[in-house]
Amino acid sequence: MSGQATRQVTNKIWVGALAVSLLIPGVAQATQLITEEEARLPPPKGAIAADRRGILRGPRVEVVSPGETVHSPLRLQLKFEAFGGAKIDPESVKITYLRTPNVDLTSRAKPFIRRDGLNILDAELPAGEYTLRVDVKDTDGRPASAIFTLKVEP
């Protein structure tokens, strides 16, 4: 086999190995939800507004996972629930890391958003405390928000 033919075969083997590694669970890279630089941003000034109105027909956002304190990478799982025959509009979901200035995490989470919730199996965050706000709307246009804190240990 000539030198060029050997290089071509070697290149094909490397490309094949890379493709297979991307398909094997646990080999793929974690989803970087918040970067080190973003984690160093100052906290928001003043109180964080929380919408705590009475009984509404609007949707609900529930944090399923993680628990109190976790290590990174972590599973971030939210459950969305709509009422009155409406459904959650996945395009309306917005996820914000509350800092100064706020950091929009929606584009990073978009591949994991479904009508019934969000499920990121391997969210990567530096150690620290992170306050996130999730905004959703149902197909009738009714909004809902949830604010929660993730505590990530080193």
Side-chain angles (χ1 to χ4, degrees):
M1 201 182 261
S2 72
Q4 185 174 357
T6 303
R7 279 192 299 277
Q8 287 176 338
V9 169
T10 303
N11 286 343
K12 287 180 183 180
I13 291 171
W14 278 110
V15 169
L18 176 62
V20 168
S21 72
L22 293 174
L23 297 174
I24 299 172
V27 175
Q29 188 174 358
T31 302
Q32 188 72 47
L33 192 61
I34 296 175
T35 66
E36 291 277 350
E37 184 177 316
E38 293 164 342
R40 289 191 294 269
L41 290 171
K45 294 180 168 120
I48 297 172
D51 191 1
R52 303 257 188 236
R53 293 181 279 174
I55 299 172
L56 297 175
R57 290 181 40 210
R60 181 172 59 172
V61 178
E62 177 186 340
V63 179
V64 177
S65 175
E68 291 292 315
T69 304
V70 294
H71 298 277
S72 185
L74 58 93
R75 180 177 186 181
L76 179 58
Q77 185 177 17
L78 307 176
K79 180 182 173 185
F80 304 150
E81 187 175 6
F83 302 98
K87 295 184 181 350
I88 297 295
D89 175 9
E91 293 300 314
S92 75
V93 177
K94 183 174 181 181
I95 302 171
T96 307
Y97 172 37
L98 301 177
R99 296 311 266 181
T100 303
N102 287 337
V103 180
D104 186 352
L105 305 176
T106 307
S107 62
R108 299 173 202 174
K110 193 136 194 99
F112 309 98
I113 297 172
R114 304 285 180 263
R115 282 191 188 273
D116 62 344
L118 170 99
N119 191 11
I120 303 175
L121 296 176
D122 57 355
E124 186 76 43
L125 298 89
E129 202 167 293
Y130 305 97
T131 302
L132 303 180
R133 183 181 69 223
V134 178
D135 299 299
V136 301
K137 287 184 183 176
D138 65 18
T139 52
D140 289 340
R142 294 183 293 249
S145 294
I147 297 175
F148 59 95
T149 300
L150 298 174
K151 295 177 184 174
V152 181
E153 290 186 345

